[in-house]
Amino acid sequence: MQISVFGTGYVGLVAGACLADVGHQVICMDIDANRIAQLSRGEIPIFEPGLSQLVAHNVAAGRLRFTTDTAQAVTESDTLFIAVGTPPDEDGSADLQYVLSVAESIGQHMQGYKLVVDKSTVPVGTAERVSDTISRVLQQRKVEHPFDVCSNPEFMKEGAAIDDFTRGARIIVGTESERVKERMKACYAPYNRNHDKLMFMSVRAAELTKYAANAMLATKISFMNEMANLAERLEVDIEDVRRGIGSDPRIGYHFIYPGCGYGGSCFPKDVHALEQAALQLGYTPELLKAVEAVNQRQKQTLYTKLQESLGNLAGKVIAIWGLAFKPGTDDMREAPSRALMEALWAAGAKVQAFDPEAMGECRRLYGERDDLMLAGDRIQAVKGADALVICTEWKEFRTVDFTWLASQLNNKLVVDGRNLYAPSALKAAEIHYVGVGRKSV
């Protein structure tokens, strides 16, 4: 198939590379000339495990190209994926300006039949707006060309995006057109061989499914954080509770790890956007509001625990291991580490931070400042610090010589925002340990 993907962020670039990898001819288009120049030189502007090799392989094979030419992307392909960003608007609702801009470009340049696929995370009713936009532009051109618009939401996790695209549990397509169903079956056939993962439903149902999925996962996280806060007050170890409820197959172990809150580009934005969509319909989504409120409060818990243990934080040096919102990515959007660092700086403390992948992103966000030292490794980050805080559960932080760590920390304090460590092991090293929903030792 001849496919064009509009947008080269996490969704567009991964989708384009994966579709090219199974033999489709793919053009990835972006209006950001610098990004396209980077990609054309073989430089991947985002960190995603395996993506650079996948892109390089398919560029070399001639199946994957990059362009800033909108007309080329529209005219040379008959299946057009919209995978641009939908950032939050001022009120938290999804901003569709980039999606509708692509729709206008499609209407301006299309010469024959096109299948337009909404891959971006968009509110219910967006496919209709995309269709109306294309129809309006065609009317302005005084031409008639057939087209279809379907919804094909993505379910990719940063850090595991390629695996999620190629081996995901489901492929959802919102359409009632038989022609679209056949085209989407052909598009995904290489990834649908083991068993039929394609689920066809109405366009609006597909659009809502994406938001509902992220809202459900965010709800599980906030619920466990709520239970962790209760466990602390009851002097119960939340890890025992987690294992106890996770063993129930109706609940399962996924997304029930307590911690310092969720972040990233999806959960915060999508929960808020779904809440705003409900409010616009005259419905108050009490659960969604609570999920968001719990998460915002949880992001402050690390600072609170430091303050309770150390008192006045002015002049203190705090080491932070992990800056990205999760392992496997350099993404710091809505990361708990940001809430912590900004609170520490406001209190007059200094931060010494290390992350295996997000150092460049941190430097881009905060620049050079006297109260931030970006360490070369985890060892340098803790040297001379008063306390250590774990913000991201990277594998390389899981195994630590606690006797050595105790020798590095002035106040021998570890605040474990991801419950990586056994409290007894730190107690044996005479380190004061504070976890989330666990007894402090």
Side-chain angles (χ1 to χ4, degrees):
M1 295 178 67
Q2 306 292 323
I3 295 172
S4 287
V5 180
F6 293 82
T8 57
Y10 277 98
V11 176
L13 189 56
V14 172
C18 288
L19 290 169
D21 200 48
V22 293
H24 298 305
Q25 292 293 318
V26 179
I27 299 173
C28 283
M29 185 273 165
D30 203 300
I31 60 173
D32 186 337
N34 289 331
R35 174 164 285 218
I36 292 300
Q38 276 186 289
L39 290 167
S40 298
R41 292 193 301 267
E43 300 170 7
I44 308 301
I46 56 177
F47 174 74
E48 180 64 38
L51 184 58
S52 59
Q53 298 92 325
L54 190 68
V55 169
H57 172 70
N58 285 284
V59 167
R63 293 187 296 266
L64 182 62
R65 294 177 287 156
F66 304 102
T67 186
T68 57
D69 188 338
T70 305
Q72 177 192 11
V74 174
T75 57
E76 293 189 15
S77 299
D78 53 18
T79 302
L80 312 176
F81 281 78
I82 300 178
V84 294
T86 53
D89 215 334
E90 291 182 4
D91 63 356
S93 58
D95 184 349
L96 295 179
Q97 63 171 309
Y98 304 112
V99 171
L100 298 180
S101 176
V102 174
E104 285 194 5
S105 297
I106 292 170
Q108 288 167 358
H109 298 291
M110 63 186 291
Q111 299 297 329
Y113 173 79
K114 303 295 177 184
L115 169 56
V116 181
V117 183
D118 280 345
K119 196 73 174 169
S120 300
T121 299
V122 293
V124 175
T126 298
E128 296 161 27
R129 294 185 63 182
V130 168
S131 181
D132 290 344
T133 300
I134 296 173
S135 295
R136 173 176 54 80
V137 175
L138 290 176
Q139 282 185 330
Q140 292 171 351
R141 291 176 56 197
K142 297 181 180 179
V143 297
E144 292 185 13
H145 294 300
F147 68 92
D148 289 299
V149 179
C150 73
S151 174
N152 175 218
E154 55 86 13
F155 297 97
M156 295 183 285
K157 301 183 296 293
E158 291 183 33
I162 294 173
D163 195 56
D164 285 344
F165 191 96
T166 58
R167 298 183 178 88
R170 75 287 208 198
I171 302 168
I172 290 178
V173 178
T175 184
E176 294 176 1
S177 163
E178 291 303 320
R179 172 168 60 180
V180 173
K181 289 178 182 179
E182 292 306 312
R183 281 179 169 263
M184 294 303 284
K185 285 178 182 177
C187 179
Y188 283 111
Y191 292 127
N192 199 40
R193 296 184 64 191
N194 189 29
H195 64 277
D196 191 2
K197 297 183 288 186
L198 272 164
M199 297 182 186
F200 292 106
M201 58 185 69
S202 72
V203 173
R204 286 186 161 225
E207 291 171 333
L208 182 56
T209 297
K210 169 61 178 178
Y211 276 112
N214 280 353
M216 172 58 81
L217 297 175
T219 299
K220 293 182 73 173
I221 295 170
S222 281
F223 174 81
M224 281 307 294
N225 284 333
E226 195 87 293
M227 291 301 100
N229 294 334
L230 181 59
E232 288 180 4
R233 289 156 177 80
L234 294 171
E235 297 187 348
V236 169
D237 190 336
I238 192 63
E239 289 300 303
D240 292 336
V241 177
R242 180 184 65 80
R243 290 192 297 271
I245 67 173
S247 61
D248 186 330
R250 297 171 299 175
I251 298 173
Y253 290 104
H254 294 297
F255 287 86
I256 62 167
Y257 287 88
C260 48
Y262 59 75
S265 63
C266 294
F267 287 2
K269 174 176 71 71
D270 292 355
V271 170
H272 202 176
L274 187 56
E275 178 189 342
Q276 289 301 309
L279 291 171
Q280 290 169 13
L281 294 169
Y283 177 75
T284 302
E286 299 291 354
L287 182 57
L288 294 180
K289 293 174 68 175
V291 167
E292 189 175 19
V294 168
N295 191 58
Q296 289 302 318
R297 183 178 64 193
Q298 200 69 14
K299 287 184 179 180
Q300 304 303 319
T301 190
L302 299 180
Y303 177 80
T304 300
K305 291 176 185 296
L306 280 171
Q307 196 173 45
E308 289 173 349
S309 298
L310 297 178
N312 184 4
L313 294 172
K316 293 289 193 296
V317 178
I318 307 301
I320 295 177
W321 282 357
L323 296 169
F325 83 94
K326 61 177 285 188
T329 181
D330 60 353
D331 196 343
M332 289 182 62
R333 284 175 286 184
E334 301 281 347
S337 64
R338 297 182 64 175
L340 173 61
M341 288 192 294
E342 289 164 14
L344 288 170
W345 293 330
K350 180 182 177 182
V351 171
Q352 297 180 173
F354 172 71
D355 186 284
E357 295 295 339
M359 303 296 276
E361 179 64 5
C362 187
R363 187 174 290 107
R364 184 189 71 80
L365 288 169
Y366 294 112
E368 299 294 332
R369 46 187 302 157
D370 294 338
D371 50 9
L372 172 63
M373 189 269 280
L374 294 177
D377 53 33
R378 68 177 191 172
I379 295 174
Q380 185 183 11
V382 298
K383 188 174 184 180
D386 291 293
L388 167 65
V389 182
I390 309 296
C391 284
T392 315
E393 62 275 32
W394 287 94
K395 288 181 179 179
E396 66 182 79
F397 300 152
R398 294 179 183 272
T399 303
V400 181
D401 180 341
F402 294 121
T403 302
W404 162 81
L405 184 60
S407 71
Q408 302 298 302
L409 301 174
N410 296 330
N411 283 275
K412 294 181 172 51
L413 169 66
V414 170
V415 177
D416 186 355
R418 298 299 179 182
N419 288 354
L420 287 185
Y421 307 133
S424 58
L426 282 93
K427 183 178 181 180
E430 299 183 345
I431 294 176
H432 178 42
Y433 175 84
V434 180
V436 179
R438 314 187 81 176
K439 295 179 183 178
S440 298
V441 297

